[in-house]
Amino acid sequence: MPLAPANQSQLIRSSQKDEYYQTFLRNNANEAFQTLTGSKRWLDWRKEVELLSDVAYFGLTTLIGYQTLGEEYVNIIQVDPSRRRIPTAARRGLFVFCHTFLPYLFDKVLVCLENELEGGQEPGSGIRRRQVASGPWSLELCLRKCIQRAVGVLSEPQRRKCVPAVFVLQQTLSLLHRFHVALFYISGIFYHLSKRTAGISYLCVSGLRSDDRTIRSSYRLLGAVSLIQLLLTLCLQLNNFRQRQRARQEWKCYRNLSGSPQQTQTSRAARCILCLEGRRHPTSTPCGHLFCWECITEWCNTKAECPLCREKFQPHKLVYLRNYS
């Protein structure tokens, strides 16, 4: 029986099944790590634990030449650009690297770069907290040292110009991902950027389905609608970016007018119990306890409950406190 190219619905169902098992593996790894090391250290290393979970999942399937659970579920196999052979070990290794480690590295670099640029404008505001949060052997510490050397040669006006550039880069990556998904709906070949980079496509073992042409036509229409929506989103993002820049300038003016003596009085009392440092961007849970925005959102990604009183709540009920001292 001749093998037919897998259509969009098969690739999406395969990816969803893989994400389900990846999430299951991450949750169990996070729970085990938190039980062994405690909540504070788990918050510091949560992303690394998830990275190792993803590497383990794809390392035990794709990397050694087996189907993933999602691929087995929809009965599809990986092939190289010739569509006659399975991908080589180098292609599979490139896919695993781009799919797991590269997004983690991009996220770390952008976060460190943003912290260094903003920390240069506000001495002592966030750098000490980040140094405490990261361990002495963490990748984040090595990246920060490299970025500190690069940012150190920039003048103050250049740093201020680079801060919005980091935000633009983050939004650009998100829009690029959405554009790639729209292209996938139209072409039906590469659902992930990592597979496009490695040149890995799929063939369906069960052969050509009778409704394959209808499925592809429906997804092409969805791809065209997605491109139109992406264009509208891009226009809105440009408008929001201008408003954010204006609001940031107003906030800096307000902060400079605020009295600095209050900071010394409240710095000791206003501490977050998760990071054991002064609260940055105070956020209240429905039960009234206060934490850093980053700390409590990281906590709620795994446990939707208050770290203090264990009251259950939905993450969208967190209240960000503006102008709170």
Side-chain angles (χ1 to χ4, degrees), residues 187-199:
S187 64
I189 301 178
F190 300 108
Y191 186 46
H192 298 103
L193 276 169
S194 52
K195 287 191 174 70
R196 183 181 294 274
T197 304

Side-chain angles (χ1 to χ4, degrees), residues 76-308:
I76 58 178
I77 58 173
Q78 296 181 357
V79 291
D80 63 6
S82 68
R83 297 196 176 186
R84 296 181 179 179
R85 297 183 298 271
I86 63 172
T88 62
R91 285 186 183 274
R92 298 196 302 267
L94 177 61
F95 159 69
V96 173
F97 174 80
C98 294
H99 195 72
T100 58
F101 187 76
L102 204 57
Y104 166 82
L105 186 62
F106 272 140
D107 179 67
K108 285 291 184 182
V109 169
L110 289 177
V111 168
C112 290
L113 183 59
E114 187 176 12
N115 287 337
E116 291 298 329
L117 291 173
E118 292 182 350
Q121 300 175 21
E122 306 171 15
S125 59
I127 303 301
R128 178 175 176 268
R129 178 181 183 271
R130 289 289 181 177
Q131 288 176 344
V132 172
S134 60
W137 302 285
S138 67
L139 176 62
E140 187 175 354
L141 187 60
C142 299
L143 289 174
R144 185 185 299 114
K145 291 180 179 179
C146 297
I147 293 175
Q148 278 178 346
R149 298 193 198 101
V151 174
V153 300
L154 299 178
S155 62
E156 192 65 25
Q158 290 174 329
R159 290 189 180 188
R160 285 196 296 266
K161 292 180 181 178
C162 288
V163 171
V166 175
F167 172 74
V168 171
L169 181 58
Q170 291 172 336
Q171 296 300 315
T172 301
L173 292 175
S174 175
L175 294 174
L176 177 62
H177 178 263
R178 293 177 58 181
F179 177 71
H180 181 267
V181 172
L183 288 182
F184 161 74
Y185 289 151
I186 296 173
S187 64
I189 301 178
F190 300 108
Y191 186 46
H192 298 103
L193 276 169
S194 52
K195 287 191 174 70
R196 183 181 294 274
T197 304
I200 296 177
S201 56
Y202 285 94
L203 294 179
C204 182
V205 178
S206 58
L208 186 65
R209 297 177 52 177
S210 59
D211 58 347
D212 185 77
R213 183 173 299 179
T214 304
I215 292 174
R216 292 184 182 276
S217 300
S218 301
Y219 274 98
R220 288 193 189 101
L221 178 60
L222 179 59
V225 174
S226 300
L227 287 176
I228 296 174
Q229 183 190 26
L230 182 62
L231 182 61
L232 295 176
T233 302
L234 183 60
C235 296
L236 293 175
Q237 289 283 0
L238 292 175
N239 184 45
N240 291 338
F241 176 70
R242 293 171 186 164
Q243 293 180 355
R244 178 170 176 170
Q245 288 298 103
R246 191 181 306 115
R248 179 174 292 183
Q249 294 298 328
E250 293 175 357
W251 167 247
K252 287 181 179 178
C253 294
Y254 171 79
R255 185 181 52 204
N256 292 334
L257 292 175
S258 301
S260 58
Q262 289 184 348
Q263 294 180 352
T264 57
Q265 298 176 2
T266 59
S267 60
R268 296 181 180 178
R271 286 182 176 271
C272 172
I273 66 159
L274 294 176
C275 63
L276 302 180
E277 294 293 326
R279 283 196 298 266
R280 297 179 69 244
H281 309 298
T283 303
S284 174
T285 58
C287 53
H289 295 116
L290 300 180
F291 308 91
C292 300
W293 169 261
E294 294 179 357
C295 295
I296 190 61
T297 51
E298 290 282 349
W299 176 276
C300 290
N301 282 336
T302 301
K303 290 188 176 181
E305 63 181 21
C306 176
L308 280 176

Side-chain angles (χ1 to χ4, degrees), residues 6-16 74 184 209 211-212 215-216 219:
N7 59 39
Q8 292 93 325
S9 64
Q10 292 171 322
L11 297 179
I12 292 174
R13 280 187 289 133
S14 171
S15 177
Q16 289 174 342
V74 296
F184 161 74
R209 297 177 52 177
D211 58 347
D212 185 77
I215 292 174
R216 292 184 182 276
Y219 274 98

